[in-house]
Amino acid sequence: MTVYDALGATPCVLLRWTNCTPDAPAQARATLRCALDQLGFDGEVISDAVLAVSEFVTNATTHAVGPYEMRLRRTAAEIICEVEDHDPCIPEVPAFPAVAPYAPAEENRGGGLEALCALLSERGRGLHIVHELTNGVWGFRGRKRTKTAWFAVPAGPRDRLRVS
């Protein structure tokens, strides 16, 4: 059975992992890439989705407890990718700038090494990246014992033909 046949309104589990799973983000990227390819998506959509899920999986394994699960769900208009962990706390989502992300702020120019390090910091940019990659179609859903990070991509032409 292909992902296409299994995918419906009920979520299709693509991957489960724990804190001990080696390189879970890489496994999630490969799994999602394969699933979206089977669903007929093109390269750019796949690349953006794979990068977004990598960020969600990294955040889950870094900041929340497992076990974890990655799922796909289809609606009439979109494919929704979900990453669930067992920490019900929704993270604080940073404010998104109205201008292009990561443009140097004028007040930080000439600030020396500390300002440069702050600008190039590897932490705190992931949700901004997800926001850009998904055109803002993402979020968190909390339950009693779990939280789910999700993003959506518009259903591809092949998908639109089969959904009634």
Side-chain angles (χ1 to χ4, degrees), residues 27-45:
Q27 289 185 40
R29 288 190 300 269
T31 302
L32 184 60
R33 181 179 304 282
C34 182
L36 292 177
D37 183 57
Q38 284 183 20
L39 290 168
F41 284 92
D42 68 12
E44 186 176 338
V45 171

Side-chain angles (χ1 to χ4, degrees), residues 24 49 66 125 138:
R125 299 185 300 187
W138 68 279

